[in-house]
Amino acid sequence: MTVTQVQTPARHRVLVRERGVLDALEQAAAEDRARHHLALYYRALTGKVCSLIPYDGGANPWERADTEAEVWLPAQAPLDEHFAFTSGQFFQVAMTHRAMHERFGSFRLELERDELLFRRLRPADIGDPGVPALERLAGLFGHSALGVHMFATCEDIRIDAATARLFPGVAGPLRAVQHGALHDRPETSVLSPRAAAIEALIRFSLGGSKVLAPNQLAPTIEQIVAIARLLRDPASTVESSVEAALRICHLLIEQPDVGMHRTVRELRFADLDGDAEAMSPLDLATLPARMAGAEGLGPWYHHVRYRDWPGPRYVGVGEGDLSLADVLDLAARRAEGQGEVAPGPDAGDDDLLDIEGEERPPAEEKPQEGSRPDERPADSGMTLPPPTSDAPDLVWEPALHAKGRREFTYPEWDRFAGRVRPDHTLVRLLTAPANSSEHDHFEVLARYGHIVSRLVRAIERISPQSTAATRRTSTGDDLDLDATIDAMIDLRLKTEPSDHLYTDLRRPRREVAVAFAIDLSGSTALWLPPDAANPGVPIQRILDLQRDAVSLVAEALNRVGDSFGIYGFSGTGREDVRLSVVKDIEERLTPVVWRRLGSMVPDDTTRIGAVIRHLTHRLQQVDAATKILVVVTDGRPFDVDYGQKYQKEYGREAEFDYAVADTAHALAESRSRAVNPLLITVDPYGENYLAPVCDPHEYHVIGDPKDLPEALADIYLAVRRATMGRPTAAAAMPPVRRA
């Protein structure tokens, strides 16, 4: 048989090559967008800026440690035959893990601070307090990489447990990624006893249920698991991880790092019940000497891909190109030269820079004491320094100008300059796209219909008489019986009767006008775990719950005749604050409104102050006795240029302080304009940063996002009761916060 080769025309070959180029460009653009979104996600969780650096599987793990400004991530998600997660979920878990190190204080260690879970083994005097605590910590482990890795692993256990507990939207993907990571772990039967014990700890940290281990190692693993289990307690802190790492290192150093046990059996973690307090202070006294060089030369630690790799930050160095081994070696030599305690940070910097031959940064460029985020206690709440009009106007930014009917400029409060920046933000109105059907709204009614009925009845009970009758009018809705009888008498008496024979049933001034603003930031894309109490309820994102909650209250308002508007907000920078109009306040409710509401999707950032100012302006244009503005969000305000310019002068937290202060100022402005504002957040930490700057009656923290649909109805009812008949009623309104 002769096969005839088909020749591809030259024009087609060119098109194929062009197609390949276009595909490559599209892929590169998609990767850039994904990287941008991950960086925004990290900033939304931490308020800090970072650069994402991908690494491939062949890179040297010692050279890919995170710094304060750089986050290293695998170039690709490990999607093999065992995975049950998407690539996006893997990177979400990886970024969340790194962000939670910042949020839960991994790098804000204070060695002198007490903790609640372990009997204290740390010595009372752990060197010069002027030396970074993490650097002093390395000395406790003989400046060995093994000690630093054990401390980092203990922190991983604590961080992952807290993440699953406090962020239910990430808990499901985290479990899936951990389950996939368990399939990448090495067989313990081919590891040395010390490495096998470490591997048992790693498997426990990933939520594994068992490990294969020799009988000789069972007591050690039993005790290690008992120690690690305590780190999942909500009361654990970074200091708890230090105590745990000391105990684990003591157990590991007793095991040989060569040879292996051929015969193994299955150990189930749930069956192990060791003693976490078997180590004595006398054991600790000799630990540094026993651990020096304990990592040996063989493979003893196999990295977990979604977690960060311990680097110089774990030894108290914020940034730099040194590997962990180099930093530990340097710290050990410093400690040898100056006794047990390492020198202060300035001297340390000199040593580091002398070795690397780099220029020492000027003293004035170092972060000021008290301004570094690492020095702020975890979750202690925001304490804003008083604004001052003498603060320098660090960056000049031109005023913005609206160019059409759907663009509006608004001022912004600059707390560091102590003044309002006029025309600093530009709000653009967009009409939200519409789905093909309002099926989502009907599903919500079927699921939560009882909330609507209850809310309607409650509102009707507190509403005043809806109409007022005026008798003996020349026109009206019905005949006035008395006036008609009088007119008949006049006619019998041959007298001209009055033409005021009617009763006019006029509706009084509209009672309430409400504007709902729904946060469409990228973080609302977080998926929540399945509801065990309601297995039929589909898995939802935070945005889905926000839409459901507003949909229910809007349905109730429509039934009682209150006027309302629904808006979604997001944006990218002060020049592009986007407000999607689902229903304007005076727009008639039609099925297309529900279709628009169902089409809302997570977008970009959250500049809440500008949104509050625009909707306050919109409510002022409405004739209503009571005006209410409800903002539903999932976390802290954040935008790409929302105070970042002050970070160099006031520290990294300046960005966050600026955004929250502007939001609080916008709420106060709204109140002064006879509007009742209310900020509702499902961020469990919202109390920490809202309480210091907001009126306690104007914000509400909901601990579990699943409570949002019912909670919003209750909150709205409480606000409506408090505001009836009052232009603004913040002072009289009872707190409705429910954390």
Side-chain angles (χ1 to χ4, degrees), residues 186-197 212-217 255-264 298-299 302:
E187 291 293 334
T188 51
S189 59
V190 300
L191 300 175
S192 70
R194 184 181 298 171
L212 295 176
N215 287 331
Q216 299 90 329
L217 208 54
Q255 299 299 323
D257 64 347
V258 294
M260 61 190 72
H261 297 285
R262 295 293 184 187
T263 304
V264 295
H302 297 264

Side-chain angles (χ1 to χ4, degrees), residues 70-343:
E70 294 178 345
V71 169
W72 289 73
L73 286 175
Q76 293 182 334
L79 302 179
D80 54 21
E81 67 272 18
H82 302 295
F83 77 92
F85 50 86
T86 64
S87 176
Q89 287 176 323
F90 172 82
F91 287 112
Q92 179 193 17
V93 168
M95 290 302 288
T96 303
H97 184 83
R98 286 156 176 78
M100 291 306 106
H101 274 306
E102 297 285 350
R103 193 152 181 172
F104 296 135
S106 292
F107 306 113
R108 294 192 290 268
L109 172 67
E110 293 185 16
L111 285 173
E112 291 76 17
R113 187 161 54 195
D114 292 330
E115 56 82 41
L116 302 175
L117 301 178
F118 294 92
R119 176 170 54 86
R120 178 168 180 140
L121 294 182
R122 289 166 287 160
D125 181 12
I126 317 179
D128 184 357
V131 178
L134 286 167
E135 186 174 340
R136 287 183 285 147
L137 171 72
L140 291 178
F141 299 113
H143 297 98
S144 73
L146 174 62
V148 176
H149 272 276
M150 290 304 100
F151 167 70
T153 302
C154 290
E155 273 296 276
D156 290 337
I157 297 172
R158 184 178 74 90
I159 293 299
D160 284 348
T163 299
R165 188 169 56 247
L166 299 177
F167 297 92
V170 187
L174 174 60
R175 284 193 295 272
V177 171
Q178 288 181 329
H179 182 74
L182 282 170
H183 290 280
D184 280 342
R185 305 309 302 170
E187 291 293 334
T188 51
S189 59
V190 300
L191 300 175
S192 70
R194 184 181 298 171
I198 294 173
E199 180 57 29
L201 174 65
I202 302 300
R203 288 172 179 262
F204 177 80
S205 76
L206 292 172
S209 61
K210 60 186 178 182
V211 66
L212 295 176
N215 287 331
Q216 299 90 329
L217 208 54
T220 299
I221 293 177
E222 185 175 38
Q223 197 170 343
I224 288 176
V225 169
I227 296 168
R229 192 175 283 137
L230 286 177
L231 296 172
R232 292 175 174 171
D233 191 292
S236 65
T237 64
V238 62
E239 288 78 23
S240 305
S241 293
V242 175
E243 293 288 350
L246 287 172
R247 287 161 170 79
I248 291 173
C249 284
H250 166 68
L251 295 168
L252 293 177
I253 206 66
E254 299 298 322
Q255 299 299 323
D257 64 347
V258 294
M260 61 190 72
H261 297 285
R262 295 293 184 187
T263 304
V264 295
R265 68 180 177 90
E266 181 179 287
L267 292 178
R268 301 191 67 83
F269 295 136
D271 299 333
L272 303 181
D273 187 20
D275 181 6
E277 298 294 350
M279 186 179 179
S280 72
L282 293 178
D283 296 327
L284 179 64
T286 61
L287 185 62
R290 288 184 290 144
M291 288 203 63
E295 53 270 23
L297 300 177
W300 51 271
Y301 187 91
H302 297 264
H303 183 48
V304 179
R305 287 174 63 87
Y306 78 87
R307 293 173 176 168
D308 53 322
W309 186 269
R313 291 196 74 189
Y314 284 86
V315 195
V317 179
E319 55 188 353
D321 297 330
L322 297 179
S323 70
L324 175 61
D326 292 336
V327 173
L328 286 168
D329 181 62
L330 176 62
R333 282 188 280 128
R334 277 211 308 253
E336 289 174 0
Q338 301 192 20
E340 185 179 353
V341 179

Side-chain angles (χ1 to χ4, degrees), residues 429-472:
L429 295 187
L430 308 170
T431 300
N435 282 341
S436 57
S437 77
E438 56 270 31
H439 179 70
D440 292 341
H441 177 65
F442 294 135
E443 276 196 347
V444 173
L445 292 181
R447 197 180 310 140
Y448 301 108
H450 62 286
I451 297 178
V452 176
S453 304
R454 178 170 56 82
L455 183 58
V456 168
R457 291 194 298 272
I459 293 177
E460 288 178 340
R461 282 197 295 271
I462 64 175
S463 297
Q465 185 65 34
S466 59
T467 58
T470 304
R471 303 183 61 187
R472 296 182 184 273

Side-chain angles (χ1 to χ4, degrees), residues 553-626:
V553 177
E555 177 70 29
L557 297 188
N558 182 54
R559 295 184 187 181
V560 299
D562 284 356
S563 179
F564 67 92
I566 303 174
Y567 308 85
F569 65 94
S570 185
T572 310
R574 71 186 187 103
E575 301 178 9
D576 187 23
V577 181
R578 298 188 288 274
L579 196 64
S580 299
V581 182
V582 176
K583 176 188 178 300
D584 198 25
I585 295 176
E586 296 182 319
E587 180 181 351
R588 189 167 62 89
L589 181 62
T590 62
V592 75
V593 169
W594 305 127
R595 295 205 292 269
R596 289 177 189 158
L597 186 61
S599 74
M600 298 173 79
V601 295
D603 192 0
D604 214 326
T605 58
T606 314
R607 205 179 194 103
I608 298 180
V611 174
I612 293 174
R613 292 184 177 94
H614 177 78
L615 293 181
T616 297
H617 169 70
R618 182 68 188 90
L619 283 167
Q620 284 185 287
Q621 299 172 327
V622 178
D623 182 22
T626 301

